Amino acid sequence: MIYLKRLRFARLGYILISVLFYIAGFFCILSHRLNPGESAISSGIILIVYGIIKIIGYVSKDIYSLAFQFDFACGALLIVLGLILLFTYVRFFGYLAPSLGVLILLDSLLSIQTSIDARKFGIRQWNVILLASIVGGTFGVLQIIAGSHLTAGLALLAEGFLRQSVVLFTVPPAHHA
């Protein structure tokens, strides 16, 4: 019973994080004057929340063990990075743009592996996860190289779609699990 609650929370958390990525992506694309302090603090909070959701996902029992298979280490990394941003954002802010690209690239590469495993399990939408991973990874690389508001926005939108795809296609609603 506790695993079902964790699974529901993790699934819903991933969907909500996807929505946050969509909002942040559109905000980056449409707003060209972001306050560095506010950007760093809001990014730090989002990273910490995302890290907590990832760790909860890892300790929940999803049917295929696909969506959350790398989430303990990734969640811990996100929490540490979020705390660094919150407490040293002035010094760390210059690294925010490439760091975003690195995180999205890493998540995309791990999701390529998830798509391969999903195919082995017979999940029909494995190719959507693969395509979303490739698109996300491409925008992650562009963010590392270019680091503009546009590439950050597009990378965040791609990451939101990737996270949403992985959780919706590999984690059935808890009442079906």
Side-chain angles (χ1 to χ4, degrees), residues 18 21-27 29 104 139 150-163:
S18 295
F21 283 146
Y22 293 143
I23 292 168
F26 284 122
F27 189 76
I29 291 169
I104 291 175
F139 283 119
L150 178 62
T151 57
L154 293 172
L156 286 164
L157 291 173
E159 176 68 8
F161 182 72
L162 174 58
R163 287 295 98 220

Side-chain angles (χ1 to χ4, degrees), residues 2 13 99 152:
I2 193 152
S99 295

Side-chain angles (χ1 to χ4, degrees), residues 86-126:
L86 284 179
F87 294 112
T88 64
Y89 67 87
V90 174
R91 291 189 313 254
F92 191 71
F93 189 75
Y95 301 104
L96 188 58
S99 295
L100 173 66
V102 169
L103 288 173
I104 291 175
L105 176 60
L106 173 64
D107 195 44
S108 297
L109 293 172
L110 293 173
S111 295
I112 288 172
Q113 183 175 339
T114 299
S115 72
I116 293 167
D117 293 340
R119 183 177 183 200
K120 291 176 187 173
F121 279 110
I123 296 173
R124 292 189 321 257
Q125 298 89 349
W126 68 269

Side-chain angles (χ1 to χ4, degrees), residues 161-177:
F161 182 72
L162 174 58
R163 287 295 98 220
Q164 182 180 353
S165 299
V166 168
V167 78
L168 290 179
F169 297 144
T170 65
V171 182
H175 63 274
H176 290 121

Side-chain angles (χ1 to χ4, degrees), residues 47-90:
L47 287 174
I48 291 168
V49 170
Y50 190 23
I52 291 168
I53 290 169
K54 279 186 160 291
I55 290 173
I56 290 171
Y58 179 80
V59 298
S60 68
K61 302 282 186 192
D62 72 283
I63 193 168
Y64 299 112
S65 295
L66 287 176
F68 311 125
Q69 63 183 327
F70 307 111
D71 283 6
F72 184 81
C74 289
L77 175 66
L78 291 173
I79 291 170
V80 169
L81 291 176
L83 290 170
I84 290 170
L85 264 177
L86 284 179
F87 294 112
T88 64
Y89 67 87
V90 174

